[in-house]
Amino acid sequence: MKVCVVGTGYVGLTTSVCLAYLGHDVTCIDLDERKIDTLRAGHTPIYEPFIDQLLEQVAARLTFTTDYAVGVPGADVVFIAVQTPQLGNGSPDLQYLRAAAESVAQHLAGGLTVVVNKSTVPIGSGNWVDAILREAYERHHGHRPDGQFAVASNPEFLREGNALHDTLYPDRIVIGSDNQASLDVLSQLYRGILNQSFTPPTSLPRPAALGAVPLVSTDLASAELVKYAANAFLALKISYINEIAAIAGAVGADVAEVARGTGLDARIGSRFLQPGVGWGGSCFGKDTAALVATAAEYNLAMPIVNAAREVNQRQRTRVVDRLLDELRIIKGRKIGLLGLAFKPDTDDLRDSPAIDIATLLLERGARISLHDPVAADRFQREQPDLAAHLTHRIEDVFDDADAVVVVTDWSQYLDLDWDKFLPSMRCPLVLDGRHCLSADRLTELGYRYLTLTGPAIPPRSNA
Ligand SMILES: NC(=O)c1ccc[n+]([C@@H]2O[C@H](COP(=O)([O-])OP(=O)(O)OC[C@H]3O[C@@H](n4cnc5c(N)ncnc54)[C@H](O)[C@@H]3O)[C@@H](O)[C@H]2O)c1
């Protein structure tokens, strides 16, 4: 099929590369000339495991452009995958979506084009985009569109860091439209994924147990709501275990064991039951806020989702409280933060807990040293005003530090030579913000080990 993808960010680029891998011809449009130049040169503007190799493999079926006239006319499907960041009132900013839809409408030509909202957009956006397309089409072409397009929703569930895997081997594909022909086009577009008929890329083997992928083919509003319902549920699962972690600390229980014992119940499942500094990233915060904002328009409260949001925010201040408990005075202390990305295997810094934690500690007069194996350069570009010391050398984070906090559970930190760095610290305190390190190993080495809950574990030699 001839496909056009508007927006070459984390979602748009992943979608494009995977659809090209399935054999479709894909034109990627972005207004950001720097991104398009980078992509044309064969590089990716984002960090995502294996995307470079796959991009190279399917380059012949991919076109990168800033010009809508190259990609939209004659396309069977146009995906809109632009950003929908959060506004002050919690609802998403739809200006990028509007601009993209208007540009698409101007260039629609040929038979039916299915215009797909892949961006996460509030319930009702399908109708809204339909109206924008109609108006812009009429304005530009001087007549009403006649079967030129139909709008569909195809929410995206990929996890950054596993984006290609999640796209090629998804748990399900959800499509929604009030137009049956567009649902048929989308089922056909995804046929290779739905029946897993493609040869897997060598770097991304197919999971052994995976058979056919379920398709949820539904109406527009239902598809739009699935995305919010799913993200809110995942977010509250994380907040739930963090709330349990607090009581585990108070009663002297081991939250890791509690999480394991709870998650092994097949009705609950163990994923997203990892206690720590909480969620971040471009989706959970924004999407839960949007769900609450949409509900408010219908005079509905969402107390469960709101509570999940509160607990998540509290986890960030809890890092500071825990350091205060241990160090008593924060002013003048040097605190090292390991990890800036909101989770491992991505360079995405949107709503990253590390930024809030660094800001809170700086406000209290701490000196902050920051490290991230991948997101450091992006951090320098996006946070030029944060008065912290960014370093590419992990030893700088430990040197003369009063505490080191693991904020992102990058595998590099798990496998660190922790004994090598201990002697250079002023105070050998480690706050494991992700419950990802071995308390036994660290205390054996001489560290004082702390999590967000429960008492600190002193070094073995002093115990
Ligand atoms: N990142 C994720 O993990 C993820 C997962 C699921 C859903 N989503 C949703 O997908 C959407 C996209 O997210 P993302 O992380 O890929 O965003 P992003 O910011 O990485 O990418 C958006 C891209 O769209 C481009 N763009 C903006 N306006 C444009 C226009 N008018 N024409 C052409 N290009 C334009 C931007 O330059 C940018 O490159 C959001 O709604 C997000 O909530 C994201």
Side-chain angles (χ1 to χ4, degrees):
M1 282 190 179
K2 186 172 169 353
V3 180
C4 172
V5 178
V6 178
T8 59
Y10 292 88
V11 168
L13 188 58
T14 304
T15 305
S16 303
V17 169
C18 290
L19 288 176
Y21 187 78
L22 293 182
H24 301 297
D25 286 317
V26 185
T27 302
C28 309
I29 302 176
D30 206 292
L31 297 183
D32 185 335
E33 286 181 18
R34 200 172 52 91
K35 276 190 186 175
I36 293 300
D37 288 345
T38 306
L39 286 161
R40 277 184 180 149
H43 306 297
T44 48
I46 54 164
Y47 176 84
E48 181 61 44
F50 309 119
I51 203 163
D52 294 275
Q53 292 106 296
L54 214 58
L55 184 71
E56 195 181 336
Q57 208 178 325
V58 299
R61 282 192 293 279
L62 283 174
T63 305
F64 297 105
T65 180
T66 54
D67 185 359
Y68 279 76
V70 174
V72 176
D76 298 298
V77 182
V78 174
F79 285 100
I80 303 184
V82 298
Q83 67 270 46
T84 48
Q86 191 179 326
L87 288 170
N89 65 359
S91 58
D93 183 351
L94 299 177
Q95 61 164 312
Y96 306 96
L97 182 64
R98 171 186 274 282
E102 284 178 349
S103 305
V104 169
Q106 287 177 28
H107 294 93
L108 282 169
L112 174 74
T113 299
V114 184
V115 180
V116 185
N117 274 339
K118 199 152 198 46
S119 298
T120 303
V121 288
I123 297 106
S125 297
N127 298 35
W128 184 71
V129 166
D130 188 82
I132 292 171
L133 287 168
R134 255 168 226 293
E135 277 169 28
Y137 184 94
E138 204 168 326
R139 223 174 24 245
H140 191 78
H141 297 267
H143 59 89
R144 289 189 177 177
D146 182 20
Q148 210 81 58
F149 69 87
V151 173
S153 163
N154 172 215
E156 180 55 62
F157 303 102
L158 67 79
R159 297 162 297 166
E160 287 175 19
N162 293 277
L164 295 170
H165 178 278
D166 292 351
T167 305
L168 292 173
Y169 312 118
D171 291 337
R172 77 302 206 188
I173 290 179
V174 177
I175 54 177
S177 179
D178 301 330
N179 172 290
Q180 186 56 44
S182 64
L183 291 173
D184 294 342
V185 169
L186 289 178
S187 317
Q188 201 189 330
L189 180 81
Y190 283 126
R191 199 170 50 201
I193 294 178
L194 290 168
N195 56 25
Q196 290 292 303
S197 54
F198 62 91
T199 307
T202 40
S203 50
L204 292 154
R206 177 175 289 127
L210 186 66
V213 169
L215 174 72
V216 180
S217 180
T218 182
D219 60 277
L220 262 178
S222 303
E224 289 168 345
L225 185 52
V226 167
K227 174 65 189 170
Y228 286 101
N231 265 7
F233 190 80
L234 293 171
L236 71 91
K237 216 172 159 188
I238 295 173
S239 283
Y240 178 75
I241 199 62
N242 281 330
E243 195 162 277
I244 292 297
I247 191 162
V251 303
D254 179 342
V255 66
E257 293 297 312
V258 176
R260 189 170 132 74
T262 309
L264 282 171
D265 185 326
R267 292 169 302 175
I268 297 172
S270 54
R271 290 162 80 187
F272 283 70
L273 279 188
Q274 174 80 9
V277 298
W279 79 67
S282 69
C283 292
F284 286 178
K286 164 176 83 73
D287 296 348
T288 49
L291 185 57
V292 170
T294 300
E297 288 173 21
Y298 293 84
N299 293 322
L300 292 169
M302 300 222 81
I304 296 177
V305 179
N306 271 321
R309 290 172 54 76
E310 271 169 40
V311 169
N312 195 60
Q313 201 52 38
R314 210 165 58 203
Q315 293 305 101
R316 299 178 184 192
T317 51
R318 212 169 154 70
V319 171
V320 181
D321 294 343
R322 296 294 279 166
L323 290 172
L324 266 175
D325 288 346
E326 285 293 313
L327 300 172
R328 298 287 159 197
I329 292 187
I330 294 282
K331 214 180 274 305
R333 301 276 196 184
K334 177 181 165 184
I335 316 282
L337 300 190
L338 289 176
L340 295 167
F342 81 95
K343 67 172 182 178
D345 295 323
T346 181
D347 60 348
D348 199 339
L349 294 163
R350 289 175 284 187
D351 193 22
S352 173
I355 295 170
D356 272 359
I357 293 166
T359 305
L360 289 167
L361 289 168
L362 286 166
E363 281 167 9
R364 287 182 171 270
R367 295 174 296 134
I368 302 295
S369 179
L370 306 170
H371 177 272
D372 191 284
V374 167
D377 292 341
R378 183 178 286 272
F379 180 85
Q380 204 150 30
R381 283 200 305 275
E382 294 183 3
Q383 301 288 330
D385 299 330
L386 204 78
H389 172 239
L390 181 68
T391 177
H392 288 280
R393 290 159 30 100
I394 292 191
E395 48 268 49
D396 293 346
V397 172
F398 286 81
D399 194 26
D400 202 31
D402 295 283
V404 165
V405 184
V406 177
V407 188
T408 314
D409 43 345
W410 281 101
S411 59
Q412 284 91 331
Y413 301 150
L414 275 54
D415 301 335
L416 213 58
D417 263 344
W418 284 87
D419 49 342
K420 193 169 110 190
F421 302 114
L422 183 116
S424 71
M425 291 184 77
R426 187 142 58 138
C427 168
L429 177 66
V430 169
L431 171 46
D432 180 0
R434 294 288 181 181
H435 287 252
C436 59
L437 304 171
S438 158
D440 281 348
R441 177 166 167 248
L442 288 187
T443 52
E444 189 75 46
L445 292 174
Y447 283 98
R448 187 171 172 78
Y449 176 84
L450 188 66
T451 62
L452 292 183
T453 180
I457 309 178
R460 284 287 168 86
S461 48
N462 300 345

